[in-house]
Structure formats: structure tokens, C-alpha cells
Amino acid sequence: MITTDFIPGSPCWLDLGAPDVEAAAAFYGKVFGWRAEPFGEQPPGGYTVCRLDGKIVGAIGPLAEDGARPAWTVYFHTTDADSTARAVEQAGGAVRSAPAAVGDNDGRHAQLTDPQGGKFAVWEPAAYPGFEVADGPGSLGWIELFTPDSAAAQRFYGTVFGWTTQDMPLPGGGGAYTLLTPRDSGEERMHGGIMEIPATSLTRSDGQAYWHPVFGSGDCDATIAAITSHGGTLRMGPEDAEGVGRLAVCADPAGAEFVVLTPAAA
């Protein structure tokens, strides 16, 4: 599960790069009940924090890179953004944006890419630890990497973050889904998975890997109805996954992909 008790290598923040920040905030507000507010002195349409019942779940900001597609970015906790950026380069990844300070004393972040093109970021906190709510309806509960090379991705993230992995066979002999756990942690801290997808099937990312968030829902079908009625799309599902719950792959009106999951009863 994802928690707000952040440890190195665990998800601690996420934000959406959107072509229209205010439209995106309105969409997610209608779907998940988020309330948007400018971050610091940002003007309307700038970097925007989203809250659920008063607690921060993440943020939405303008597309910051040339040619970037609308997408969610997952940030991983680090105690040293500079050393993590160096580790990424040494492991064959790339630094898209070098470690830099945010605000007067919020923390430091860096924008990074894995060798298969999967974009992610790291956050070295100071006064601002990260999101304030997780693992419930309307908040981040899991993360997934779709990649053309699962073994290479496992090596890369294992080198950079020390994640441990555990393969779970897929039904019908369809390969394996790899579960991810932070270094020196038990299965209760498992936070995501890796799924190998042929590059030819990763059409929306031009064959490159990408991360997407999984948001909790009390009623997957009702959330899908809210998504589609407010301009989003249903890309896969809904389906019932044994031991996992009812889930669907969706996209917001600009095309940013995310998953909705109603967990199976304990």
C-alpha cells in the first residue's frame, strides 16, 4: 500500500502536466471531489494543488517540456536528489531537469527518465514532505509501469532505488506482473507493479515506457460514469481481477491516462 510515511524509493507526490490546468482541475474535481487552489503565489492556470477533504492529494500544472504529452508524473522520495540523479545516469537513464530547489524551503526535485523512456521524478523534502492522503477513494493507491522490457526496468529501478521485486503469474500464461517494494521493507509497503507490453502496443507513448497512477474508488462503475460524462474516456475494462478488485483504465479529456480501482473486500 502507499502511505504518507515516506521512505526512500516510495511514491511521495504526483502531478499532472495538462494543456489547460483549470479545465483539468474541474474534471478531476467532478470525478474525485478534489478542490483546487493555486500553489503559493501562482496565478490562475499555474501550478495548482488539489485537496480531498482538506488534505493534499497531488497537483496539476502546465506542460513544462517541449513536445510533452498530457500525463501524470510520479515522484519518489529521496534523501539526496543529486545522488539519485547521478545514479540514474550511471544506470543508463537520463536527467531531463537537474535537481533544483522549490520555493524558499519546500524541498528539491529532479525530472528523470528510465532507459526505456519512462518519465518519473524524485522529491527531496524539506518543509514539504509530499501528499497528505493516500490509499483510499480519490487518492493514489498504486502505481504501474508499462514497459517494453520488464527485466531491464527491474534492473534499473533496483539499482537506483533498491526496490525488491516479486513476480505474479498472469492468467492464461500471459507472462508475469512484477510487484515492487521499497528497499528493506515488508510486503505491506508494496507500492506498484511493472507490466511488460510490446513496444508496438505502446502506441500512445510511441513505444516508450510510461508510469500511470491508480486512484481508489468506492464504486468503480460509478466513477467510470462520472469520467465519461465529463469528457473522459474508458480505455479498458471495467473488469474484476481476482484478489485485486474491480478496475478500469481511463483517460481525462486531454488524454492523460490513469486507473480507477475499487479494491476487493479483505
Side-chain angles (χ1 to χ4, degrees):
M1 63 184 292
I2 294 177
T3 78
T4 56
D5 174 23
F6 306 121
I7 56 177
S10 68
C12 65
W13 186 248
L14 78 164
D15 58 23
L16 171 67
D20 186 330
V21 172
E22 293 177 296
F27 169 80
Y28 287 97
K30 292 170 183 173
V31 170
F32 293 125
W34 295 353
R35 181 174 62 81
E37 61 184 42
F39 177 76
E41 301 299 319
Q42 290 282 315
Y47 201 73
T48 298
V49 170
C50 298
R51 294 181 181 270
L52 178 66
D53 298 328
K55 295 183 177 181
I56 297 172
V57 293
I60 301 171
L63 292 170
E65 300 175 38
D66 291 340
R69 65 184 180 89
W72 284 96
T73 298
V74 179
Y75 291 64
F76 300 103
H77 177 92
T78 181
T79 57
D80 187 336
D82 295 284
S83 66
T84 302
R86 288 193 295 270
V88 164
E89 291 184 313
Q90 291 166 2
V95 176
R96 302 193 322 278
S97 176
V102 176
D104 293 332
N105 189 40
D106 292 327
R108 304 177 74 240
H109 72 135
Q111 301 287 328
L112 310 163
T113 307
D114 70 27
Q116 286 70 51
K119 295 180 179 181
F120 65 102
V122 293
W123 178 248
E124 177 190 334
Y128 207 91
F131 47 65
E132 298 173 340
V133 60
D135 199 40
S139 63
L140 184 68
W142 192 254
I143 58 172
E144 286 185 326
L145 176 67
F146 283 0
T147 178
D149 192 335
S150 177
Q154 292 177 54
R155 289 193 299 271
F156 172 79
Y157 289 101
T159 298
V160 172
F161 293 120
W163 292 347
T164 57
T165 61
Q166 176 184 336
D167 283 347
M168 181 176 70
L170 293 171
Y177 184 85
T178 301
L179 302 168
L180 306 171
T181 304
R183 184 198 307 267
D184 300 327
S185 298
E187 291 186 0
E188 73 280 357
R189 292 303 303 256
M190 204 175 276
H191 61 240
I194 296 176
M195 180 74 179
E196 183 166 299
I197 306 289
T200 52
S201 297
L202 294 170
T203 55
R204 296 184 181 90
S205 59
D206 296 325
Q208 296 186 320
Y210 66 92
W211 287 97
H212 59 220
V214 179
F215 296 115
S217 168
D219 184 332
C220 182
D221 293 86
T223 302
I224 292 168
I227 289 167
T228 55
S229 66
H230 291 104
T233 55
L234 175 63
R235 289 186 170 170
M236 185 184 301
E239 62 184 39
D240 295 308
E242 185 177 356
V244 176
R246 188 163 177 79
L247 57 87
V249 180
C250 304
D252 67 23
E257 188 173 289
F258 60 97
V259 174
V260 174
L261 170 66
T262 298

